[in-house]
Amino acid sequence: VYSEEDVEALVVRLKEHGFELIGEAGTPDGSLDVFRFQRNDGTLKLILEEYKPARITGGKAEVELVVELARRQNVRNQHGDESFER
């Protein structure tokens, strides 16, 4: 389960890396959220589904960046620091 704070932090970080949030959809109960981003010529889709791992689709560079940002957040959270590493 992904907290609203985690999702907001990731969206902020993506915006800081040049992504623009171009769409958001989901179910009323919050069990599925889909965020669409665009950066330069690349697009990215972040799919968060309750009780399942996050899914990321898009160009290789965009996906690799999100994976790295999520990894950094996970490491920081394990050490008690909720902020993203730059």
Side-chain angles (χ1 to χ4, degrees):
V1 177
Y2 305 94
S3 74
E4 189 173 326
E5 293 82 18
D6 288 339
V7 173
E8 288 174 3
L10 182 56
V11 170
V12 166
R13 181 55 67 181
L14 287 171
K15 288 180 178 180
E16 290 174 355
H17 282 85
F19 286 91
E20 177 184 356
L21 180 63
I22 59 172
E24 187 175 340
T27 58
D29 66 359
S31 63
L32 174 69
D33 289 304
V34 180
F35 301 89
R36 293 181 55 230
F37 298 89
Q38 185 169 1
R39 182 177 83 158
N40 302 327
D41 291 334
T43 60
L44 177 81
K45 190 184 293 185
L46 174 63
I47 304 162
L48 304 175
E49 194 169 358
E50 196 169 18
Y51 306 114
K52 293 188 179 182
R55 290 182 288 154
I56 306 165
T57 63
K60 182 179 179 180
E62 289 79 16
V63 170
E64 286 176 349
L65 175 60
V66 173
V67 169
E68 177 62 17
L69 293 173
R71 184 197 65 78
R72 290 180 187 177
Q73 177 65 25
N74 188 41
V75 168
R76 302 293 277 181
N77 284 346
Q78 288 177 359
H79 295 290
D81 183 349
E82 294 182 12
S83 63
F84 274 103
E85 177 181 294
R86 288 204 182 266

